[in-house]
């Protein structure tokens, strides 16, 4: 311990007793310092002690400094070495000048710093003579101080004389304000970049629930405000903010540390703490954390956190005390850019070798030897060696680089000024000239060019370190990443510790667990935005990332999503497809219908000269069959993915084809009406107006007009119906009025057919179509009457199938009623498809009518035909003998027989109009 005390004393002597006699008088005004003469004097203020001893008296005496700071002493020696190095460099030797220095200790106290600054700004009156040896040599530029609070106070005083000030570690944002601090400059980045780098680190690692603790004062408050502002912009929440006094020497100051300790332990979810504290504060905080855990019986692991250290303590070797990294957790430190220590290490080596450092610019060595001899506790070599070892332990490469850069900038600025004038005489160079040159010109250091920006800053990159423990020793100089302020980015080094930094991403520091995709955050009123609950996205909304604030909407036209979905699902496209089993059945029936129509058509063409075919209408049968083919094809168009052509063609094709079919049937029905429902006078005129093909053409033309207006004014179109999970493609009819008119027109024709055919139920049963027309039209009307409410109330993919079914029913009704009975006769009852069979049937009809009337003249002569199947027939015939051979007398005196004769003439007239064979006429 005696040796260590002597070493500390040696350090003090080395730094503060080395004074040139010319400056001895200043010791009564300021703390002891170090000085060396030169043509241009550089002032410097370093915190060589950590505090001043507080006394209760009110006299304006200088308070003694306490707690020697090895780092401040190392920084002092680094500046001395930098000045001596520049004095030997060609930069100054070429202009024949040297740099001197005066170094003072601010003892980390603003009042002490202001006393030192006042000494730098004082002016002596040389009496206007030419002898400058007795004049006080002014300070051209000041280097320092370390802490922002000191630099702010110093800058205000130096601004009055526009003496440039270059700080090597003061990073407070306020110092970039050139309106208030026009003479302040620094060789370190603005603190806003350090807080920006911290926020970038937290954001990249997903830590959004953090705490922050700072020291009171301009530096701490500025760092706190900047960090909170930047963190909030990135969605990072500050769980707590603790501010502790800058000096820990009274009871209230210690209570602030204890309060911070309890806050940290209470917020157990906060795993990351950002600390802008001085090393003594961190040391005390760690001790209090351990004491609190031991007092409450909690394990020491409870204090484990990720500590994001600011530059002020990130490289300190003693803040952890006797704690290990297992106790305190992980420390990620932000450092100013590291430099080389080769020059400074050489200087310390020369300083340790007292026999070789006697060139005249380290005058304190002789005084040092005297003090060492006065102690008498150890040999001189042993004490010097131990002192150098302590200095090396408190040497930080980032600070050394900043000090060397400041001295290099000053030396090169002075060299520029002194190339055009003699700078050896006092008063030749003014401080503001040095300030102007520093601001305007770049300077070189170790081969790199640097420039002060418009705010007086040099924004270098930050080095990030991760503390590691090896054999009980904590290493805090492993550079694992670099932060680049110009683009706000992090780059990682290939150091072996880098992987440990990346592994820290596994540590969760959040108030609430992350909301997974498919959920969004819901924050309660009054809570932090980082404290929330996760709720599912509603239907048709989704979230595809973690911790989203709101759900994204799916495209309602093509997409959907269930509740709590992380993506949208493409809506299933639905239509009445070809693969649908129901569609397959209907298509099979349609195809079968077309095949049957073609077969019937071929059969009728083959049997075109037979009585059955001629009685059925002859060529009109082929027209009806052709129209049925079109109707079956229109039914097929209701299947498949809709398109514009399909939507327009299917209804129009059905309307025209079925209108043609019903028109042909109408002609046959009108023929029945003309034969049975007209009086003899009117019947002749109607027979002349009865033009079958004209009637068919007019009926079809009207339907063509209806469909044309429909297509021109508001035609059917392809329509997409957005259902919750599907997209239904269908054909919209465009105008439902036009659609109804088209179907209604066909219904009117069918109803007319029905009425006319109903009147013709008196023809011979085997050749009468009236009953079949009646039944087919009745089937059509019933089918379409049922279709209307079903069509209106039904929605979905099977809407086209409804109309398709009705069309098939209508078509098969025509086939079944009009053609299948005739095909049966042609194929299986050939004996009935002859001229003789037709005559016999008509003869039997007349005989039965006579017998029926002779039995009872009150019985309706129509009753005998009600339940008989009718087939229309019109082969060439002769009047049956039973009627042609009747005497006129009998007919004249028997009214019943007269009615039979009239009825028979109607039948003959009907078949006469139906026949197409050689124009044979029946006799009257």
């Amino acid at each position: 311990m005696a040796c260590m005390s002597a070493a500390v004393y040696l350090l003090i002597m080395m730094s503060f007793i080395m004074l040139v006699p010319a400056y001895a008088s200043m010791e009564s005004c300021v703390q002891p310092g170090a000085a060396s003469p030169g043509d241009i004097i550089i002032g410097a203020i370093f915190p060589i002690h950590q505090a001043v001893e507080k006394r209760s008296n009110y006299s304006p005496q200088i308070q003694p400094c306490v707690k020697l700071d090895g780092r401040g002493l190392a920084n002092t020696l680094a500046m001395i070495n930098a000045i001596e190095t520049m004095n030997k460099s060609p930069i100054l030797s070429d202009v024949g000048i040297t740099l001197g220095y005066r170094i003072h200790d601010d003892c980390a106290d603003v009042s002490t710093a202001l006393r030192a600054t006042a000494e730098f700004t004082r002016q002596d009156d040389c009496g206007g003579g030419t002898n400058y040896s007795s004049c006080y040599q002014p300070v051209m530029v000041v280097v320092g101080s370390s802490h922002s609070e000191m630099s702010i106070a110093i800058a205000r005083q130096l601004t009055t004389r526009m003496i440039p000030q270059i700080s090597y570690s003061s990073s407070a944002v306020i110092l970039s304000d050139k309106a208030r601090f026009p003479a302040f400059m620094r060789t370190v980045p603005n603190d806003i970049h350090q807080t920006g780098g911290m926020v970038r680190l937290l954001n990249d690692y997903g830590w959004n629930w953090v705490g922050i603790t700072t020291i009171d004062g301009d530096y701490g408050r500025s760092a706190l405000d900047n960090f909170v502002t930047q963190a909030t912009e990135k969605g990072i929440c500050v769980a707590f903010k603790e501010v502790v006094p800058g000096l820990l020497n009274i009871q209230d100051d210690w209570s602030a540390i204890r309060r911070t300790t309890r806050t940290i332990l209470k917020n157990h979810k906060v795993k990351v703490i950002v600390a802008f504290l001085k090393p003594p504060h961190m040391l005390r905080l760690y001790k209090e954390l351990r004491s609190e855990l031991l007092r409450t019986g909690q394990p020491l692991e409870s204090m484990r956190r990720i500590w994001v250290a600011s530059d002020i303590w990130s490289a300190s070797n003693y803040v952890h005390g006797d704690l290990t990294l297992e106790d305190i957790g992980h420390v990620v430190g932000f450092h100013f850019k590291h430099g080389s220590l080769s020059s400074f290490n050489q200087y310390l080596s020369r300083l340790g070798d007292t026999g070789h450092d006697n060139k005249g610019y380290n005058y304190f060595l002789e005084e040092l030897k005297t003090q060492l001899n006065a102690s008498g506790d150890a040999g001189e070599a042993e004490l010097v060696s131990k002192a150098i070892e302590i200095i090396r332990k408190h040497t930080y490469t980032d600070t050394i680089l900043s000090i060397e850069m400041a001295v290099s900038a000053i030396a090169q600025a002075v060299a520029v000024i002194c190339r055009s004038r003699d700078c050896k005489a006092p008063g030749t160079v003014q401080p503001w000239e040095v300030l102007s040159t520093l601001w305007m010109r770049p300077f070189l250091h170790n081969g790199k060019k640097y420039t002060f920006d418009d705010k007086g800053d040099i924004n270098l990159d930050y080095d990030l370190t991760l503390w590691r423990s090896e054999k009980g020793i904590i290493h805090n100089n492993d550079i694992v990443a670099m932060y680049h302020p110009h683009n706000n980015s992090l780059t990682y080094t290939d150091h072996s510790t880098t992987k440990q930094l990346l592994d820290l991403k596994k540590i969760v520091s959040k108030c609430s667990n992350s909301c997974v995709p498919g959920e969004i955050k819901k924050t309660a009123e009054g809570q932090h935005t980082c404290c929330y609950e996760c709720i599912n996205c509603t239907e048709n909304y989704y979230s595809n990332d973690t911790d989203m604030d709101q759900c994204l909407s799916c495209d309602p036209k093509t997409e959907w999503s269930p509740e709590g979905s992380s993506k949208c699902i493409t809506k299933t496209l639905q239509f009445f497809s070809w693969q649908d089993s129901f569609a397959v059945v209907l298509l099979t029936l349609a195809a079968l219908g077309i095949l049957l129509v073609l077969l019937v058509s071929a059969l009728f063409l083959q049997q075109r000269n037979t009585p059955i075919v001629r009685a059925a209408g002859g060529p009109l049968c082929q027209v009806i069959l052709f129209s049925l083919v079109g109707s079956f094809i229109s039914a097929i168009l209701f299947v498949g993915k809709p398109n514009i052509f399909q939507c327009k063609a299917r209804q129009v094709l059905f309307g025209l084809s079925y209108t043609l079919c019903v028109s042909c049937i109408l002609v046959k029905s009108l023929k029945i009406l003309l034969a049975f429902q007209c009086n003899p006078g009117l019947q002749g005129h109607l027979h002349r107006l009865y033009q079958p093909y004209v009637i068919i053409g007019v009926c079809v033309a009207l339907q063509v007009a209806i469909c044309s207006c429909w297509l021109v004014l508001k035609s059917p179109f392809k329509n997409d119906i957005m259902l919750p999970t599907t997209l239904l493609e269908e054909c919209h009819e465009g105008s439902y009025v036009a659609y109804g008119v088209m179907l209604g027109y066909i219904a009117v024709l069918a109803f007319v057919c029905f009425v006319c055919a109903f009147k013709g139920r008196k023809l011979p049963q085997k050749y009468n179509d009236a009953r079949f027309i009646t039944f087919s039209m009745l089937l059509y009307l019933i089918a379409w009457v049922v279709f209307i409410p079903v069509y209106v109330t039904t929605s979905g993919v099977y809407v086209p199938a409804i109309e398709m079914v009705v069309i098939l029913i209508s078509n098969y009704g025509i086939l079944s009623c009009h053609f299948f009975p005739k095909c049966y006769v042609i194929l299986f009852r050939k004996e009935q498809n002859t001229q003789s069979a037709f005559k016999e049937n008509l003869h039997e009809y007349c005989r039965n009518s006579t017998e029926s009337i002779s039995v009872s003249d009150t019985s309706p002569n129509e009753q005998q035909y009600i339940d008989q199947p009718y087939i229309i027939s019109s082969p060439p015939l002769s009047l049956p003998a039973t009627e042609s051979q009747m005497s006129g007398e009998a007919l004249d005196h028997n009214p019943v027989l007269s009615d039979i004769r009239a009825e028979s003439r109607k039948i003959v007239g009907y078949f006469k109009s139906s026949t197409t064979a050689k124009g044979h006429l029946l006799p009257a």
Side-chain angles (χ1 to χ4, degrees):
M1 293 298 296
C3 293
M4 184 62 67
S5 301
V8 173
Y9 181 76
L10 169 63
L11 293 174
I12 299 173
M13 295 303 298
M14 288 170 60
S15 303
F16 307 126
I17 299 181
M18 180 189 165
L19 299 175
V20 179
Y23 305 115
S25 60
M26 71 182 178
E27 295 182 4
S28 59
C29 299
V30 296
Q31 294 289 344
S36 178
D39 300 314
I40 302 295
I41 301 299
I42 301 175
I45 299 177
F46 291 96
I48 303 175
H49 291 82
Q50 296 181 10
V52 295
E53 183 179 337
K54 298 296 183 180
R55 294 182 179 177
S56 58
N57 59 47
Y58 298 99
S59 60
Q61 296 178 358
I62 299 176
Q63 305 297 326
C65 297
V66 295
K67 299 181 181 178
L68 179 67
D69 188 355
R71 183 173 184 176
L73 180 56
N75 293 340
T76 301
L77 297 179
M79 178 175 171
I80 294 173
N81 171 62
I83 291 176
E84 293 178 356
T85 301
M86 295 306 301
N87 283 336
K88 293 183 291 184
S89 69
I91 296 175
L92 295 180
S93 61
D94 289 349
V95 294
I97 60 172
T98 60
L99 298 177
Y101 56 84
R102 291 207 293 271
I103 302 174
H104 293 300
D105 181 12
D106 63 16
C107 305
D109 177 68
V110 174
S111 299
T112 305
L114 289 175
R115 291 191 183 94
T117 306
E119 190 275 330
F120 290 152
T121 57
R122 72 184 180 91
Q123 291 180 306
D124 285 348
D125 186 7
C126 295
T130 58
N131 183 12
Y132 299 105
S133 59
S134 61
C135 291
Y136 178 82
Q137 198 168 1
V139 171
M140 293 293 104
V141 61
V142 174
V143 176
S145 174
S146 176
H147 303 307
S148 295
E149 296 90 337
M150 307 298 115
S151 293
I152 291 172
I154 294 170
R156 295 186 187 278
Q157 194 165 351
L158 294 178
T159 297
T160 60
R161 298 288 306 279
M162 292 304 291
I163 299 175
Q165 175 189 359
I166 303 178
S167 175
Y168 55 87
S169 65
S170 296
S171 55
V173 178
I174 190 176
L175 289 168
S176 294
D177 185 358
K178 296 300 104 178
R180 287 184 283 181
F181 308 103
F184 179 82
M185 311 170 86
R186 52 188 165 196
T187 55
V188 293
N190 186 326
D191 235 359
I192 197 170
H193 300 301
Q194 180 174 212
T195 55
M198 292 176 173
V199 170
R200 179 57 188 266
L201 176 69
L202 299 177
N203 189 58
D204 287 355
Y205 282 63
W207 300 325
N208 66 356
W209 189 237
V210 300
I212 182 171
T213 177
T214 67
I215 57 173
D216 199 6
D218 293 320
Y219 167 76
R221 297 285 182 178
S222 175
L224 176 62
D225 293 341
N226 289 317
F227 177 82
V228 172
T229 300
Q230 293 171 311
T232 303
E233 292 176 355
K234 294 296 182 179
I236 299 172
C237 300
V238 179
F240 59 85
K241 296 174 283 188
E242 291 292 338
V243 180
V244 299
L247 297 176
L248 299 175
N249 51 9
I250 59 176
Q251 185 63 30
D252 292 341
D253 298 340
W254 294 117
S255 64
I257 293 291
R258 286 190 289 271
R259 183 188 67 247
T260 303
T261 298
R262 296 189 186 97
T263 301
I264 292 173
L265 296 177
K266 181 177 66 176
N267 291 271
H268 60 277
K269 287 187 176 181
V270 178
K271 301 299 182 183
V272 179
I273 298 176
V274 179
F276 289 89
L277 299 177
K278 296 178 180 179
H281 294 77
M282 288 304 304
L283 176 61
R284 185 61 187 173
L285 179 61
Y286 284 145
K287 289 182 177 180
E288 282 295 325
L289 282 171
R290 181 178 61 178
S291 299
E292 184 68 20
L293 291 175
L294 294 175
R295 185 165 50 252
T296 57
Q298 301 180 54
L300 290 181
E301 289 79 5
S302 300
M303 68 178 290
R304 288 177 58 84
R305 299 289 190 276
I306 297 175
W307 303 87
V308 181
S310 67
D311 62 272
I312 198 172
W313 69 274
S314 59
S316 176
N317 292 321
Y318 68 91
V319 295
H320 52 82
D322 57 354
L323 294 171
T324 65
L325 285 181
E326 291 294 325
D327 299 326
I328 64 177
H330 306 276
V331 179
V332 180
F334 277 74
H335 299 254
F336 299 129
K337 200 65 181 175
H338 287 63
S340 174
L341 292 178
S342 58
S343 175
F344 185 61
N345 286 332
Q346 293 174 8
Y347 174 75
L348 292 179
S349 299
R350 292 195 304 270
L351 192 63
D353 190 356
T354 57
H356 296 85
D357 197 4
N358 54 2
K359 299 181 180 179
Y361 49 83
N362 279 334
Y363 295 105
F364 64 88
L365 291 180
E366 293 297 329
E367 296 293 335
L368 174 61
K369 292 178 182 179
T370 303
Q371 295 297 326
L372 292 176
N373 287 334
S375 64
D377 294 333
E380 181 177 350
E382 180 182 359
L383 294 177
V384 172
S385 176
K386 290 184 177 181
I388 297 302
E389 181 181 355
I390 293 175
I391 293 174
R392 291 185 190 276
K393 289 182 179 181
H394 289 82
T395 300
Y396 299 91
T397 59
D398 54 348
T399 308
I400 301 302
L401 174 63
S402 297
I403 293 173
E404 291 177 349
M405 288 176 61
V407 174
S408 295
I410 295 169
Q412 294 176 47
V414 169
V416 170
I417 296 173
C418 294
R419 287 193 184 101
S420 59
R421 69 184 77 173
D422 182 10
C423 297
K424 291 185 175 295
T428 306
V429 180
Q430 297 299 327
W432 52 87
E433 293 180 299
V434 179
L435 175 63
S436 176
T437 306
L438 284 170
W439 217 299
M440 294 173 56
R441 291 180 175 272
F443 65 94
L444 295 174
H445 180 70
N446 292 336
K448 294 183 180 180
K449 182 181 290 187
Y450 301 94
T451 305
F452 293 100
D453 62 17
D454 57 349
K455 295 181 180 180
D457 304 332
I458 297 180
N459 292 320
L460 302 177
D461 295 340
Y462 283 91
D463 291 333
L464 271 69
T465 61
L466 180 65
W467 289 17
R468 63 181 175 88
S469 179
E470 184 176 350
K471 297 179 180 180
I473 300 176
I474 295 179
H475 301 270
N476 55 17
N477 291 317
D478 296 339
I479 300 176
V480 295
M482 289 178 289
Y483 172 70
H484 311 287
H486 66 281
N487 60 3
N488 189 31
S489 65
L490 287 172
T491 58
Y492 296 93
T493 66
D494 57 356
H495 196 278
S496 59
T497 314
T498 302
K499 184 179 182 303
Q500 299 179 22
L501 176 65
L502 297 174
D503 289 340
L504 295 182
K505 290 184 178 182
K506 300 176 183 178
I507 298 177
V508 177
S509 183
K510 294 184 175 182
C511 179
S512 301
N513 293 330
S514 295
C515 294
V516 299
E519 299 176 338
I520 57 170
K521 300 185 296 184
K522 181 181 180 181
T523 305
E525 185 176 356
Q527 285 187 343
H528 283 282
T529 57
C530 298
C531 299
Y532 48 80
E533 61 176 334
C534 298
I535 60 174
N536 288 333
C537 292
T538 57
E539 291 183 359
N540 297 323
Y541 289 86
Y542 72 100
S543 61
N544 57 3
D545 201 356
T546 56
D547 293 334
M548 292 187 66
D549 294 319
Q550 59 183 3
C551 296
L552 305 176
S553 175
C554 296
D555 185 355
K557 295 182 179 180
T558 59
E559 297 175 330
W560 75 283
S561 65
E563 182 180 353
S565 179
S566 61
K567 63 179 180 180
C568 290
I569 303 172
T570 302
K571 286 186 176 180
T572 303
L573 186 62
Q574 285 190 335
F575 52 88
F576 194 41
S577 68
W578 299 93
Q579 291 77 25
D580 191 283
S581 58
F582 191 28
V584 171
V585 173
L586 296 179
L587 288 171
T588 302
L589 292 175
L592 179 61
I594 294 174
L595 178 61
L596 292 174
V597 168
L598 295 177
L599 292 175
V600 171
S601 177
L603 181 62
F604 272 48
L605 283 175
Q606 183 187 11
Q607 303 288 325
R608 61 185 177 275
N609 295 321
T610 62
I612 290 293
V613 174
R614 292 202 306 269
L620 285 182
C621 292
Q622 298 299 327
V623 177
I624 294 175
L625 291 171
F626 171 76
S627 65
L628 288 178
V629 171
S631 184
F632 276 119
I633 293 175
S634 71
I636 296 175
L637 294 178
F638 283 84
V639 183
K641 186 176 182 180
N643 55 65
I644 295 178
F645 170 78
Q646 181 180 346
C647 293
K648 293 181 178 180
R650 66 182 191 177
Q651 296 290 5
V652 173
L653 180 59
F654 168 72
L656 295 179
S657 61
Y658 211 79
T659 299
L660 178 60
C661 177
V662 175
S663 298
C664 293
I665 297 174
L666 177 63
V667 169
K668 299 173 68 175
S669 300
L670 289 175
K671 184 165 52 177
I672 297 173
L673 182 65
L674 288 175
F676 292 98
Q677 298 299 323
C678 299
N679 60 58
L682 184 60
Q683 188 179 30
H685 296 289
L686 292 179
H687 268 295
R688 286 191 295 271
L689 294 175
Y690 176 67
Q691 301 294 329
Y693 293 104
V694 174
I695 294 174
I696 293 172
V698 172
C699 292
V700 174
L702 288 176
Q703 187 68 284
V704 169
I706 293 173
C707 293
S708 299
C709 293
W710 185 10
L711 293 176
V712 171
L713 298 178
K714 199 170 184 181
S715 64
F717 57 90
K718 176 178 171 294
N719 184 39
D720 294 336
I721 299 179
M722 292 176 290
L723 301 177
T725 61
T726 59
L727 183 65
L728 177 62
E729 287 191 349
E730 66 171 14
C731 288
H732 191 279
E733 305 306 342
S735 172
Y736 284 102
V737 174
Y739 180 47
V741 170
M742 183 200 75
L743 295 179
Y745 178 70
I746 299 175
V748 170
L749 295 179
F751 183 75
V752 173
C753 291
F754 170 77
V755 173
C756 294
F758 183 77
K759 299 295 183 179
R761 60 192 182 277
K762 301 175 183 179
L763 289 175
Q765 57 183 1
K766 293 184 179 179
Y767 299 94
N768 189 0
D769 266 354
R771 174 172 291 185
F772 296 126
I773 293 174
T774 301
F775 183 76
S776 63
M777 293 300 101
L778 183 62
L779 181 63
Y780 171 84
L781 291 173
I782 293 175
W784 284 96
V785 167
V786 173
F787 162 77
I788 293 173
V790 175
Y791 182 82
V792 171
T793 58
T794 303
S795 61
V797 71
Y798 289 109
V799 171
I802 298 174
E803 187 170 356
M804 190 176 178
V805 168
V806 177
I807 292 174
L808 292 177
I809 292 175
S810 302
N811 292 346
Y812 274 102
I814 299 295
L815 273 176
S816 300
C817 295
H818 289 264
F819 294 99
F820 287 169
K822 297 176 177 61
C823 292
Y824 177 77
V825 172
I826 292 173
L827 295 175
F828 303 106
R829 293 289 186 267
K830 296 181 179 180
E831 68 277 4
Q832 296 181 7
N833 190 20
T834 61
Q835 292 277 359
S836 59
F838 179 80
K839 293 178 181 180
E840 182 180 355
N841 180 256
L842 186 59
H843 176 77
E844 182 181 358
Y845 165 75
C846 293
R847 185 177 66 248
N848 292 337
S849 297
T850 303
E851 292 176 354
S852 175
I853 296 174
S854 64
V855 173
S856 175
D857 57 2
T858 60
S859 299
N861 55 4
E862 300 91 347
Q863 185 65 33
Q864 57 186 317
Y865 311 112
I866 293 178
D867 299 324
Q868 304 296 327
Y870 300 147
I871 302 176
I872 297 175
S873 179
S874 59
L877 299 172
S878 297
L879 191 66
T882 56
E883 183 178 356
S884 61
Q885 295 176 1
M886 286 182 178
S887 63
E889 183 180 356
L891 293 174
D892 292 336
H893 294 86
N894 192 336
V896 175
L897 295 179
S898 297
D899 291 339
I900 295 174
R901 177 181 177 88
E903 191 73 18
S904 299
R905 290 184 180 278
K906 291 180 182 180
I907 295 172
V908 172
Y910 168 73
F911 287 117
K912 177 182 176 181
S913 65
S914 300
T915 185
T916 58
K918 301 180 182 180
H920 291 292
L921 298 176
L922 294 176

